[in-house]
Amino acid sequence: MTPPTLTTARLELRQLVEADREAVVKVFSDPEMSRFFAADFSDPAAASAMVDRRLAYRGPAGQGHWVIERDGEVIGVAHLRPSSELPGGVAELGYYVASAYAGQGLATEAARAVLGHGLDALGLPAVWALVHENNAASRKVAARLGFLDVGSGIHYGDLHRVLVALAPVPGRPHHIELWVPDLAEAERSWGWLLGELGWREFQRWPAGVSWRLGGTYVVVEASPAMSAPEHERTRPGLNHLALHVGTRAQVDALAEQAAGHGWRPLFGDRYPYAGGEAHYAAYLENDAGFEVELVALEGPPAH
């Protein structure tokens, strides 16, 4: 199994292939990219050898090396693979975006996609990162992603911070089951939305379907045991589901696309702060009356 293609609001991360060699060498031709490396990858031979090592990767299914593309242009690389520096072959995350794209949040966006893939899709208990002691920008990226700083050590020939992101297992929902009056409509609306957020189809049977993200799954079922023909969110019972979305831009994109997939906006006159000034979110309702709240993990800009 090769590493899957990962998509975000602005980026596509796909498996590194031989045809990417020239583009990756170009990314690293800027000496600034090698500032925190022991090797000088601005030397085309050194950069090409680095590509060779990445192409030669053979490891656990779903892990490996990606190129980071924006609008079809390779702007960086990322990896998730067993660490050669930390004991036990634990999964190590790395992310590198061309200096020309610094300050735009693209490294955070790419790293979040790979981290989510590792913790959620692959179900890894933890993902580690080694960040050079003096690489303040990369350390800020890791902090935004929830990495914990657990110490430092000599790795890759210099002093690095040792960081870890843990899967939030205890207390996490096992599954959520929604009984729906129209299974096809539920697949159209819920299937699209959950798919956009990284959930993947898990189980299917004549009356229902489920989607899974990490250890949690959501079920929609047209059960013959239903005691009413429709859902009413203002009655006692489920009012809505609230789901995390990576960035404000992603919330905006989903809210804009939702109408084509069976959703309509709620509280549109107060978008995106219907839940308060510190809460950037979209509220949507589908044709069956189910409400979903899409909450940006990235907080609102400072006033």
Side-chain angles (χ1 to χ4, degrees), residues 52-101:
D52 286 336
R53 291 191 293 273
R54 290 174 179 263
L55 289 173
Y57 168 82
R58 299 292 182 271
Q63 299 187 40
H65 296 264
W66 289 262
V67 290
I68 304 168
E69 287 188 329
R70 184 179 188 186
D71 298 327
E73 177 187 359
V74 173
I75 66 167
V77 294
H79 65 254
L80 180 68
R81 41 98 174 133
S83 178
S84 61
E85 293 283 324
L86 298 173
V90 295
E92 182 183 330
L93 169 68
Y95 42 90
Y96 313 97
V97 170
S99 304
Y101 294 90

Side-chain angles (χ1 to χ4, degrees), residues 3-26:
T5 297
L6 308 174
T7 57
T8 71
R10 297 178 290 176
L11 304 172
E12 180 173 277
L13 287 77
R14 57 169 179 76
Q15 183 186 16
L16 173 72
V17 296
E18 173 61 38
D20 297 314
R21 182 183 298 275
E22 182 178 348
V24 173
V25 170
K26 180 180 178 181

Side-chain angles (χ1 to χ4, degrees), residues 246-258:
T247 67
R248 297 187 298 273
Q250 287 174 295
V251 171
D252 292 340
L254 289 171
E256 183 177 349
Q257 298 165 22

